[in-house]
Amino acid sequence: MEKVHVIILASGKGRRLGNQIPKQFLKLAGKTIVEHTVEVFEKHPQIDEITIVVPQQYRYLLEEILLRNSFSKVKRVLNGGKSRKESSFIGLSALDDEDKVLIHDAVRPFVCNRIIDDCLSALNHYEAVDVAIPTSDTIIQIDHRHFIKDIPNRNKLKRGQTPQAFKVGLIKQAHILSMDDGFDNVTDDCGLVLKYQLADVFVVSGEEINIKITYKEDLYLADRLFQLSSNTEYGNINLLDIKNKVIAVFGGSNGIGREIVDLAKKYGAKVYSFSRNNGVDVTDYCKIKEVLNEIFLRESKIDYIVNTAGILNIGSIESRDIDDITYEINVNYLGAINVIKAGIQYLEMSNGAFLLFTSSSYTRGRSLYSTYSSTKAAIVNLVQGINEEFSINKNIRINAINPERTNTLMRIRNFGNEPEESLLDPFKVAEISLQTLLSKISGQVIDVRK
């Protein structure tokens, strides 16, 4: 019976990125890049088997990844060759000629099901399929002196992506022919098919988001793309699933925290709300430990811990009192650390999740709000760093909600009356917060917009 294979080429050294380990093993959004890529094909219903080709000296890193995941479709891990072409043939050599294969770069983690579907559909009619997008830039051809030789019509030019799809027997034949005549001047597998005129290559549409992570700038872009993609992941989550979950909310007496408490209770969760109004200050680590222990003794579990506690004070560093500055930092930043450290033991037992809150001001410091904005930037770094720590040996998730200007008492106290239609409804923030807790995402900053 014909099978559909995927060969994931993870054998690059990543020298252009300048890291000590290859780029496919760098972490983004709580997972290595290659993990994200494998996960896409693992979840696709038409993919039968996955083969991963890696550098021999970094094979142990991939084996660690496989040990902490349940990738049932990964059937082979093969040591790569000296070139992309050689690594591709190593993967192909393990497959039967009558099967179909997708060959994909490990560092393209944003490949989507639509592209995969289109490739497999095209393989029903063609023996070779490429993926490409239109070029928005003018392409120039230069001579050996670096003068422009030609400017091709860009309407006929496209930028190639992966996966590329083939009948296994055809692409194997192309590789064997290239080895026989020593042809190595090729950057992808479709180039070999064209070189030996073995078949026409049909092109399906790729997507701009299907980027290849090559340079340092690509890492920053990819990180943001993961954030944007995670913002849609919670959309299909039913809040009825939060019934009987045990949730501790710090900062639950006002604003977003109160909305979370009320909404979670409405859907049947067992919610415990804490704030300075009932004697719990997040700057007091011992008190946080005490109330979490009380919840656990009563409920025998804690599923989720949310920290919305925060304060916002205005003033320049020069004009503000040092005690006032210190307390704002302690509440906004140290408070989050206190909540996390005190809660780890409980969420480890429940495979639960933390949820913190940042602000749109985290991306750039604001005059008169420098302390506040810097603590919110620290929250983002805290979430990312701790998520990496958790990913090693703890099944705990952690994310940060980043709401835009929200209609809360804290905002009114600091900015006065504003047009209500210009502010985000805290109910919407609460709804997305609960959906994020129920989701599988981790290490993300979830933007909430009107």
Side-chain angles (χ1 to χ4, degrees), residues 383-426:
V383 166
Q384 293 169 338
I386 289 181
N387 178 67
E388 288 198 12
E389 293 178 15
F390 287 164
S391 68
I392 297 172
N393 56 14
K394 290 179 171 54
N395 193 19
I396 302 175
R397 291 171 292 105
I398 182 169
N399 293 290
I401 298 293
N402 177 31
E404 66 177 350
R405 298 175 305 127
T406 308
N407 189 10
T408 63
L409 181 60
M410 185 174 78
R411 180 148 192 107
I412 293 171
R413 285 174 175 170
N414 284 277
F415 295 95
N417 290 329
E418 298 173 282
E420 190 168 325
E421 64 274 12
S422 70
L423 300 176
L424 183 62
D425 187 342

Side-chain angles (χ1 to χ4, degrees), residues 2 21 40 52 90 94 101 187 206 222 224 232 248 272 285 319 340 361 380 389 406 431 445:
E2 180 186 79
I21 62 172
V40 175
I52 307 176
I90 288 170
V101 63
T187 57
R224 185 59 179 161
T232 63
Y272 293 82
Y285 175 66
S319 65
I340 293 168
S361 66
V380 172
E389 293 178 15
T406 308
E431 188 175 42
V445 177

Side-chain angles (χ1 to χ4, degrees), residues 101-103 119-120 123 127-130 163-167 190:
V101 63
L102 302 179
I103 301 176
C119 285
L120 294 177
L123 269 186
E127 292 185 283
V129 180
D130 202 354
Q164 294 181 334
F166 307 94
K167 299 293 178 64
C190 283

Side-chain angles (χ1 to χ4, degrees), residues 138-143 146-153 157:
T138 296
I139 305 299
I140 63 173
Q141 182 181 358
I142 62 172
D143 62 20
H146 288 270
F147 287 102
I148 294 178
K149 182 178 180 181
D150 189 23
I151 302 178
N153 183 349
L157 299 176

Side-chain angles (χ1 to χ4, degrees), residues 100-246:
K100 297 176 180 177
V101 63
L102 302 179
I103 301 176
H104 188 67
D105 299 320
V107 289
R108 288 190 190 270
F110 298 105
V111 61
C112 66
N113 284 345
R114 197 274 304 162
I115 292 177
I116 298 170
D117 290 340
D118 286 356
C119 285
L120 294 177
S121 177
L123 269 186
N124 292 326
H125 307 283
Y126 309 99
E127 292 185 283
V129 180
D130 202 354
V131 175
I133 58 174
T135 177
S136 57
D137 296 317
T138 296
I139 305 299
I140 63 173
Q141 182 181 358
I142 62 172
D143 62 20
H144 67 283
R145 300 173 301 160
H146 288 270
F147 287 102
I148 294 178
K149 182 178 180 181
D150 189 23
I151 302 178
N153 183 349
R154 72 179 182 187
N155 292 330
K156 297 181 179 180
L157 299 176
K158 289 182 178 289
R159 289 184 285 148
Q161 299 184 332
T162 62
Q164 294 181 334
F166 307 94
K167 299 293 178 64
V168 173
L170 175 86
I171 190 60
K172 270 189 186 179
Q173 182 185 0
H175 274 272
I176 292 170
L177 288 171
S178 73
M179 287 186 285
D180 288 343
D181 65 13
F183 177 69
D184 288 316
N185 187 24
V186 66
T187 57
D188 66 9
D189 293 88
C190 283
L192 293 177
V193 174
L194 293 174
K195 162 74 175 175
Y196 298 104
Q197 300 180 358
L198 297 178
D200 292 328
V201 180
F202 184 76
V203 178
V204 302
S205 296
E207 293 190 1
E208 288 286 349
I209 197 175
N210 185 25
I211 65 169
K212 183 179 181 181
I213 299 172
T214 304
Y215 301 102
K216 287 184 179 179
E217 294 81 3
D218 298 329
L219 284 174
Y220 294 111
L221 175 59
D223 190 51
R224 185 59 179 161
L225 288 172
F226 273 120
Q227 291 178 18
L228 292 173
S229 63
S230 73
N231 287 352
T232 63
E233 189 164 331
Y234 52 69
N236 296 322
I237 293 176
N238 192 334
L239 288 183
L240 291 173
D241 293 339
I242 210 157
K243 184 177 181 180
N244 295 324
K245 298 291 186 181
V246 178

